Amino acid sequence: MEQYVVKGGIPLVGEVEIGGAKNAALAILAAAVMTDETVVIENLPDVRDINVLLNALSGIGAVVERIDAHCVKINGSTINNLRVDYEYIKKIRASYYLLGALLGKYKRAEVALPGGCDIGSRPIDLHLKGFRALGSNVDILHGLIAAHADTLRGNHIYMDKVSVGATINIMMAAALAEGKTIIENAAKEPHVVDVANFLNSMGANVRGAGTDVIRVEGVEKLHKTTYSIIPDQIEAGTFMFAAAATKGDVTVKNVIPKHLEATTAKLLEIGCEVEEFDDAVRVVASKPLHHTSVTTLPYPGFPTDMQPQMAVVLAISEGTSTVTESIFENRFRYVDELSRMGASIKVESNIAIITGVQGYTGARVSAPDLRAGAALVIAALAAEGITIVDDIYYIERGYEGFEQKLESLGAQIEKVLSEKEIQKFTFKVS
Ligand code: UD1
C-alpha cells in the first residue's frame, strides 16, 4: 500500500496550477453520453474517480477515447446496456449521475444503489423524488435503482434539502423531458452551474443555475460540443490552507477567485493576507494565526469539503475555535489521527472544539477519506519531524499529482511503498 512520507516544518512558497474540478467533471462525463454525437471534454483532472467513471461509461458501451491526460472524447451512440453495476458505484458514488443521464436519454436506467460511505449515511431520496416527479417509475430491487418512464414530463419540484447531487441528476433528466421543469431550493455550487453550462452547450435549455430556482425547458435531443471544465475550488482551497498551516506564501493559479470567497474570508479572519488576481489567489501567512468559528453550509457557505483542511490550520492557531459540520454526520474521523500529532480537539455531536497548540509533531497516521487525507498531509507539512500518512489511495481519488505539486512549493514529501523507502527518505532529509 502506498504511503506519503513527509518531513515537515518547511514553509510552502511558490506558485501552483489548479486542475479541473473533479466533482463537475463526474457529472459532465455522465451527461456527455446524453447525445449520440461526439463530445470532447477538456481540463479533465487525471484522478482515480474520473478514471472509474470513464470505465463505467465504457462498461455500458460508450466509446471513450483519451486524447491526453486532461482531454477525452466520448460517444454515447453505442450504448448497449442501461445497467450500471455495483462494481462502479462502490468505488464512486457519483456513478449515480448515470441514472439522470440515461433516464433522460433512454427513459430507462438501472444503477446499483450506493451504500453509506466514509463520511456518513448518504441518502438519495431527493434524487428519486425528482425522477418520480418527472413521471418515472422508480423501484429498488435486488440492490438496484430501476427507473423507467413511458414519457418524462416537466414538473415543479421542491427540494426539501439543498443537494448538489439531486439538483444535477434532476436537471439532467429534465433536459430531455417534455415541457418545463422548475427545481426550487436548488444547490448553487459552481459545479451545478458548470453542468448547466455544459448541457446548454449541447443544446439544452437550462436557466437559473447558480440561483435557488433552476428552470429547464426540455428539448428533443442534444448535440455535440467541446467543453472545458471549471477549476477545482477544493483543490485550490487545500493549497491555500497548506500555505497558511506552513506559514508560507503560495499563489494558486488557474482559479476563479469568486468560487473561493468562503475560504478566503476565513483565511483573512484568522490573520492571513490574501491577494486576489483575475485568475489567481495569493495566500501569505507571515503573522501568528488566531482562532475563529466556522460552520459548513451549501454554497456560497463554507464548503464541507474544506472542513478538515480548515480544522488542521485552526488546531495550530492561537485560542479556541469551533468547527460545526452541518452537512455530513461523520466528518470528524480525522480528529483522532490529528490528536496523535498533538492537536487538542474535542468533538461534541457535530461540533469540534479546537484548542490551538504550538504545533504538530510527526506521527504515523491514516487517511480516513479523501479530504481528511489531504488535511492530514497539510498537518504533516506543518509538523516538526517525520509523518507517515497511510491509505493515500483516498487522496489519489481527487488530487492529481498532489506530492509533485507540493514538492514544487518546496515540501519534502515522497510517495513510498515500503519501510525501506521510508528509511531511505528519513536518511536523505536528516
Ligand atoms: C457533493 C460532492 C461532495 C460534497 C457535497 C456537499 C460530488 C461528487 N460530491 O456530494 O464532495 O461534500 O456535494 O457539498 O459532487 N441528502 C439527502 N437526500 C438526498 C441527497 C442528499 O438527504 O437525496 C443530504 C445529504 O445526506 C447531505 C446533504 O443532503 O446531508 C447534502 O448532500 P449533497 O449535496 O447531495 O451531496 P453529494 O451531491 O452527495
Side-chain angles (χ1 to χ4, degrees), residues 14 28 32 48 56 74 78 90 93 95 105 150 153 185 204 223 236 251 255 269 278 291 296 303 320 364 366:
I28 286 173
R48 190 162 294 169
I74 295 175
T78 47
K90 79 169 183 236
R93 289 177 52 83
S95 315
K105 185 179 181 194
D150 293 331
R153 280 209 179 80
N185 199 23
H223 55 67
T251 301
V255 297
E269 237 172 79
D278 284 348
H291 63 100
T296 62
T320 301
R364 192 161 195 146
S366 292

Side-chain angles (χ1 to χ4, degrees), residues 20-172:
K22 170 186 82 81
N23 287 347
L26 289 169
I28 286 173
L29 289 175
V33 300
M34 291 175 70
T35 169
D36 280 341
E37 298 180 16
T38 299
V39 168
V40 179
I41 318 276
E42 298 169 339
N43 202 30
L44 198 67
D46 188 14
V47 295
R48 190 162 294 169
D49 275 9
I50 296 298
N51 294 323
V52 173
L53 189 60
L54 289 175
N55 286 339
L57 294 178
S58 304
I60 56 171
V63 177
V64 175
E65 190 190 335
R66 203 72 188 238
I67 308 297
D68 60 42
H70 301 122
C71 180
V72 71
K73 228 186 221 184
I74 295 175
N75 186 294
S77 66
T78 47
I79 287 177
N80 50 23
N81 179 2
L82 298 180
R83 176 183 288 195
V84 182
D85 290 329
Y86 187 58
E87 177 195 342
Y88 300 110
I89 271 283
K90 79 169 183 236
K91 288 191 190 137
I92 99 171
R93 289 177 52 83
S95 315
Y96 61 39
Y97 284 135
L98 282 167
L99 207 48
L102 297 177
L103 181 65
K105 185 179 181 194
Y106 299 103
K107 316 300 169 218
R108 176 175 288 278
E110 289 183 3
V111 175
L113 188 66
C117 79
D118 18 84
I119 58 174
S121 119
R122 307 270 296 261
I124 56 157
D125 55 309
L126 295 170
H127 302 236
L128 307 189
K129 173 182 162 177
F131 297 144
R132 288 191 177 112
L134 293 176
S136 174
N137 289 309
V138 181
D139 297 304
I140 295 182
L141 295 167
H142 309 292
L144 286 172
I145 306 160
H148 64 93
D150 293 331
T151 312
L152 283 182
R153 280 209 179 80
N155 203 345
H156 201 128
I157 303 169
Y158 175 77
M159 311 293 285
D160 306 283
K161 210 169 173 181
V162 177
S163 161
V164 174
T167 302
I168 291 177
N169 235 340
I170 296 165
M171 194 165 78
M172 292 198 292

Side-chain angles (χ1 to χ4, degrees), residues 408-422:
S408 77
L409 297 171
Q412 291 192 308
I413 177 169
E414 220 168 274
K415 196 191 282 183
V416 292
L417 262 169
S418 64
E419 286 301 319
K420 212 165 151 198
E421 284 179 343
I422 294 175

